[in-house]
Amino acid sequence: MVIGVLDPPMRRERTTPAVPPLAWLGLWIYPALLAIFAVLYALAFFQGLELHGGYRGNSFKAIHPESFPGDRYLTGTHPTMLSLVYVVARLVGEVWLDDRFQLALHVGLVVLAIAAVDRLAVLFGASAPLERLAILALVLVAHHFKTNFAQLVPASGTPTAVAHPIGLWVAYLLFRGNRTFAAMALGALMLLIAPKNGWYPMGIALAF
């Protein structure tokens, strides 16, 4: 067969290597483990709405501004009440006070926090799944040799509970580099959520 000048060039068909079914299963195992760990962690540390001395009653006051008349602390004008969390609480209404709703919210925040810690571990060189799980174990499990156990997501329904996962993602974006705008946007959101403690992550984002 003679190929003429005007004949179209012959194209090679691209073949995609077949992926074994078990390989696809392996791609889902690690995220599934993270989701299971998030649920177990949330169930272990969830203790109800606003189990913190500095926040008790704030959600109820946000939903019912006329409540607690004459109370010196729950006046509704405390700087903490400027948090975006209490704006959302007022919009949601009575459902916000339901611990079942708070537990679902708590699980979601824990998932975001664990995902951020895992991304940070990968960013700093942990590639194998066992290495990443070992690093997560340091923050998920209380150890005898580590007394300063800090919860990834503290008391549910508070500005601090929402700010923690956001702060972890701000740290990830800053360490990753070339994500200054995204880090500043999250930092601004953190400032609206936690006016008391959100200013310094925003300052760090601006410094980068």
Side-chain angles (χ1 to χ4, degrees):
M1 177 180 179
V2 179
I3 301 177
V5 178
L6 299 178
D7 292 337
M10 297 179 65
R11 296 180 179 179
R12 294 182 178 179
E13 295 183 359
R14 295 181 179 180
T15 58
T16 304
V19 179
L22 291 179
W24 290 109
L25 181 62
L27 295 175
W28 290 97
I29 289 178
Y30 189 78
L33 283 176
L34 294 186
I36 293 172
F37 292 155
V39 173
L40 293 177
Y41 183 90
L43 291 175
F45 290 101
F46 178 78
Q47 296 175 321
L49 174 65
E50 294 179 344
L51 189 68
H52 189 287
Y55 297 104
R56 291 173 185 167
N58 285 352
S59 292
F60 194 89
K61 183 69 175 180
I63 298 171
H64 303 284
E66 73 284 356
S67 60
F68 308 114
D71 193 288
R72 293 183 179 181
Y73 179 77
L74 291 170
T75 60
T77 59
H78 193 277
T80 306
M81 300 299 291
L82 298 175
S83 170
L84 188 62
V85 169
Y86 297 118
V87 176
V88 174
R90 187 165 188 176
L91 293 174
V92 172
E94 292 291 332
V95 179
W96 184 268
L97 304 176
D98 192 330
D99 274 350
R100 292 168 296 183
F101 174 82
Q102 289 297 328
L103 177 58
L105 179 62
H106 197 75
V107 171
L109 293 174
V110 172
V111 169
L112 289 176
I114 288 179
V117 173
D118 182 65
R119 289 292 86 199
L120 284 167
V122 173
L123 187 64
F124 287 108
S127 56
L130 288 179
E131 295 175 350
R132 293 157 65 181
L133 289 176
I135 293 174
L136 283 172
L138 293 175
V139 295
L140 294 179
V141 182
H143 301 278
H144 292 292
F145 61 85
K146 184 169 70 69
T147 57
N148 58 332
F149 183 67
Q151 294 185 23
L152 287 177
V153 181
S156 180
T158 65
T160 307
V162 184
H164 273 213
I166 296 177
L168 288 170
W169 280 105
V170 169
Y172 169 74
L173 292 172
L174 291 177
F175 283 121
R176 186 178 177 182
N178 297 326
R179 299 290 189 277
T180 306
F181 180 78
M184 287 179 61
L186 280 182
L189 178 61
M190 189 175 177
L191 183 61
L192 293 175
I193 290 172
K196 179 181 176 181
N197 299 319
W199 61 271
Y200 56 88
M202 185 62 180
I204 294 174
L206 288 171
F208 271 73

